[in-house]
Amino acid sequence: MEENFTTKWISQLKKGTLSFLVLSILKDEKEYYGYDLINEIKKKTSIDIAEGTLYPLMNRLKKEDLVASQWVEQESGIPRKYYKITPLGLATVTEMKNYWDNLNATINLI
Amino acid sequence: MEENFTTKWISQLKKGTLSFLVLSILKDEKEYYGYDLINEIKKKTSIDIAEGTLYPLMNRLKKEDLVASQWVEQESGIPRKYYKITPLGLATVTEMKNYWDNLNATINLI
DNA sequence: ACCAAATACATTGTTATACAATGTATTTGG
DNA sequence: CCAAATACATTGTATAACAATGTATTTGGT
C-alpha cells in the first residue's frame, strides 16, 4: 500500500463530506443520475468518487427520504435512475451547511 | 436511538475532522495532554470528543510520527501524557489545511 | 466488422474510525 | 465520607469509502 497519512485522511474526510456534497449539488432542484453525479463532482471539485461509494450513498439518502428517485428510459442507451432532493433533504442540507460553516470558522480561528 | 440524519452525519464528519482539529491545536507548538485536549476542543469548538475516541486517535498520530509524547509526573495527581507536534505533523497539518480550504471554497461555490 | 472504452447500474469484502461501555487509579469538594 | 472529576486505556458495534467484480449496452477508432 504505502499510502501517506494525508491520502488516508482524505478518504476519511469524505465520510462526512460526500453526502453533504451530493445534497448541495441536488439543492438546485435539478435532477441528476448517479453516473452523472460522479462526473459532475469530479469536474466541479476534482474529487473522485468510486462507483462503489456513490450508489450505496444514494440508496442511503433515499432510505432516509432525503432524495427521491425515478427510472428514466433512454431512447438509446442504458436506463438512468434520476435523483431529486426532497423537502426533508433541503432542510437537512441547510442544517449541514450551518454546521459546516461554523466548523470552518472555528478552524480558521485556531 | 431515534437519531436523525444530521446527528449521524456529524459523527461521520468527525472521522475526517478530528485528526485535523487536534493537529491544528498542537500547531502552536505548545504541549497538551489528552484529557486537556478534550476540554480545549469542547471549549473552543463545542465539539464533544469521547475519551474512547481521543486516546486511540493520539496513538495513531504518534504511530504515524505526527506527534511525540512524554509522560510527566505531577506533584499531585495522576501522571499526564503530554503531546507535541513533530516536523512531519506540521507539514501534514499544512497539507490538510490546504485541502480543507480548497474544499470549503468549492462547497461555497456550489 | 471488430473490439476496447465509456456508459450505467449494482454487490461483496476489507479497512478505518467514532463512540458507548467498561475498567483502573487518584484526587478534590461538599 | 463519598460522589464527581481527573487521567489514562481497551473492547465491541456501527458506519462508510473503496477496490474488485459483475451485468449489460453503446460509442468510437481502426
Side-chain angles (χ1 to χ4, degrees):
Chain A
M1 281 301 120
E2 191 60 79
E3 285 184 355
N4 70 20
F5 188 84
T6 307
T7 306
K8 283 184 291 179
W9 172 69
I10 289 172
S11 175
Q12 292 302 318
L13 187 59
K14 286 183 184 175
K15 293 191 184 178
T17 47
L18 286 193
S19 53
F20 179 36
L21 212 51
V22 166
L23 288 176
S24 295
I25 287 177
L26 290 171
K27 205 176 163 187
D28 66 7
E29 312 255 10
K30 273 193 298 206
E31 298 193 11
Y32 295 84
Y33 57 97
Y35 196 83
D36 194 26
L37 278 168
I38 291 173
N39 292 120
E40 275 293 305
I41 288 172
K42 180 157 189 178
K43 209 174 64 184
K44 283 189 179 153
T45 71
S46 302
I47 293 173
D48 265 305
I49 306 182
E51 295 184 55
T53 298
L54 187 85
Y55 294 118
L57 168 60
M58 298 315 292
N59 286 335
R60 291 198 303 272
L61 295 180
K62 187 176 181 187
K63 207 170 118 197
E64 297 282 345
D65 197 34
L66 305 181
V67 302
S69 71
Q70 60 171 355
W71 281 103
V72 177
E73 307 280 331
Q74 303 303 115
E75 291 131 52
S76 125
I78 301 166
R80 297 167 178 171
K81 198 188 268 184
Y82 275 86
Y83 293 97
K84 190 180 154 179
I85 199 163
T86 63
L88 181 58
L90 276 172
T92 303
V93 75
T94 302
E95 263 191 273
M96 287 168 138
K97 175 77 170 135
N98 285 339
Y99 190 90
W100 178 274
D101 284 344
N102 200 274
L103 179 62
N104 182 246
T106 307
I107 284 169
N108 284 316
L109 275 183
I110 286 173
Chain B
M1 277 303 118
E2 193 57 83
E3 287 184 354
N4 70 18
F5 187 84
T6 307
T7 306
K8 284 184 290 178
W9 172 69
I10 289 171
S11 175
Q12 292 302 319
L13 187 60
K14 286 183 185 175
K15 292 189 185 180
T17 48
L18 286 194
S19 53
F20 178 36
L21 213 49
V22 166
L23 288 175
S24 295
I25 286 177
L26 290 172
K27 204 176 162 188
D28 65 8
E29 312 254 12
K30 274 193 298 206
E31 298 193 12
Y32 295 84
Y33 57 98
Y35 195 84
D36 193 26
L37 278 168
I38 292 173
N39 292 120
E40 275 292 305
I41 288 172
K42 180 157 189 178
K43 210 175 64 185
K44 283 189 178 151
T45 71
S46 301
I47 294 172
D48 264 305
I49 306 181
E51 296 185 54
T53 299
L54 187 85
Y55 294 118
L57 167 60
M58 298 316 292
N59 287 335
R60 291 198 303 273
L61 295 180
K62 186 174 180 188
K63 207 168 117 197
E64 298 281 347
D65 196 34
L66 306 180
V67 303
S69 71
Q70 61 171 356
W71 281 102
V72 177
E73 306 281 330
Q74 301 306 112
E75 289 132 54
S76 124
I78 301 166
R80 297 166 177 171
K81 198 190 267 184
Y82 276 88
Y83 292 96
K84 190 180 154 179
I85 199 163
T86 63
L88 182 59
L90 276 172
T92 303
V93 75
T94 302
E95 263 190 275
M96 287 167 137
K97 175 75 170 135
N98 285 339
Y99 190 90
W100 177 273
D101 284 344
N102 200 275
L103 179 62
N104 182 246
T106 308
I107 284 169
N108 283 317
L109 276 182
I110 288 174

